[in-house]
Amino acid sequence: MVPGGEEDTWFRAAVVSSAVHRPLDILDKVMAGQADSEGRSTLIGQLVATAAAIASKPADFGRLIDVLASKPGAPPVGWQIAGMGRLQDTLDRRGLKLATLSGADKVRPLFESAHLIAANDKARDTDREAALRLFARGFNHADQDLPLLAGFLKPSVNDHVQKGALAMLARTTGPQAAEAMLSDWTQRAPSVRAAIVTTLLGREEWTQRLLQAVAEGVVNPAEVPAATRQALAHHTNASIRQQAQKLLPVGDSSIRAKVVAKYQVVTGLQGDGVKGATVFKNICSVCHAYIGQGNAVGPDLKAFYNKSASDFVTAILDPNAAVEPRYAGYVVVTRDGRSLTGVIANETASSLEVVQPGGIHETVLRPDIKAIRATGLSLMPEGLEQALTPQDIANLIAFLKSGG
């Protein structure tokens, strides 16, 4: 192997590509190195995923377990944790229990160490995220790990680690996960609240718990993004649709033209770009990126700086008037019972990448897809006039046309 080559993205891609037919042999070569770097952890994780994907007999998994197991007396390091997470992904997809594999006890220390690594704020972010992937899986138990995962959603925790914890909560099942996400709601940062709301749409029982939290006053209706309201308004479950309409009503699409006409007054207003920056942060950043801020779910708004005020008014208040295909909404139903609502950001022969409001990315392998449905709507919701005055829109336009 080329010394230090593991740190180069293209080098790693070339190694993984060449290892498709003999991943275990290539993995042995990589294992000859000694450094515990982020690049090496990533490369080993990718090679383990490749080897596990083509494993056809128990002995293949046994060899991977031997590769990942720590030597007696040696503490687990980043690449072992990352690799074990990838192996566990494959086992979950195939419905295999780690404990049933020969030699599985050799990797038990990795699961035990995961809790210590994730809680160590001095550890690398990549190692902490990899450690979180072992929570509530393998030799760890969901009933014990769910409260721990919820504890990583505190504002004092690194943003990447928070997202890693939320991603693992999203993989679990049962009402306890929803309770864990909604616990200590008043202590959650705004960005995490939005991400939690999006995650709770993943399972019907979680969605019902979210609506219950709104009805009880735990979650303020104003904290539920307009994009989420739109998704609820078109939910396949009639009971959820009806309850959402009462608690979180959305605008009537039949009056879009009247709303746009009413807001044309914006074209004659003087906008304040500084105030517009606040409007962008509060309303638009959930799904749009601009000058390094926000989440790249919809198009980057920097490309629209030369649009007229009238064009902006129509795009903001009647988003379904012209839906660009690559930003159309889809619902992807997975075989483990989740529903992911977002845009398809990337599509390959083996997987789809779904990006949900709040910038939550998830790659779903095609065999794990139960159904996929186009909503026929823009992910950008209708009814934003309920939260925006004509002056707010004028300020937002001034901010977007100023280049920040």
Side-chain angles (χ1 to χ4, degrees), residues 240-284:
I240 289 177
R241 286 200 310 271
Q242 293 167 5
Q243 190 177 5
Q245 186 57 41
K246 294 178 182 178
L247 297 171
L248 303 165
V250 296
D252 185 347
S253 59
S254 65
I255 62 172
R256 288 298 94 201
K258 293 181 180 178
V259 171
V260 171
K262 176 182 176 181
Y263 273 70
Q264 287 302 322
V265 66
V266 169
T267 60
L269 297 178
Q270 181 68 38
D272 183 330
V274 175
K275 293 180 179 178
T278 300
V279 175
F280 173 82
K281 179 180 179 181
N282 293 338
I283 303 293
C284 311

Side-chain angles (χ1 to χ4, degrees), residues 342-348 351-355 360-364:
V343 298
I344 306 300
N346 190 31
E347 185 173 2
T348 69
S351 65
L352 297 177
E353 182 183 11
V354 183
V355 185
I360 300 174
H361 292 245
E362 179 146 358
T363 298
V364 184

Side-chain angles (χ1 to χ4, degrees), residues 84-94 133 137 168 171 368:
M84 190 64 239
R86 293 300 193 104
L87 176 55
Q88 187 66 60
D89 288 344
T90 299
L91 296 177
D92 288 349
R93 282 195 295 272
R94 296 193 183 186
R133 292 171 66 89
R137 310 169 85 186
M168 288 311 301
R171 285 175 174 266
D368 295 338

Side-chain angles (χ1 to χ4, degrees), residues 302-383:
K302 189 174 182 180
F304 296 86
Y305 76 95
N306 60 346
K307 295 289 185 180
S308 69
S310 180
D311 289 337
F312 270 110
V313 169
T314 300
I316 293 169
L317 300 178
D318 192 9
N320 292 307
V323 183
E324 188 175 344
R326 60 177 171 157
Y327 296 116
Y330 285 84
V331 178
V332 177
V333 182
T334 64
R335 294 196 179 279
D336 65 357
R338 290 185 295 151
S339 295
L340 310 176
T341 302
V343 298
I344 306 300
N346 190 31
E347 185 173 2
T348 69
S350 60
S351 65
L352 297 177
E353 182 183 11
V354 183
V355 185
Q356 303 174 80
I360 300 174
H361 292 245
E362 179 146 358
T363 298
V364 184
L365 296 179
R366 291 187 182 274
D368 295 338
I369 297 174
K370 182 178 180 179
I372 183 169
R373 175 173 59 87
T375 66
L377 300 170
S378 167
L379 198 61
M380 183 171 174
E382 296 178 344

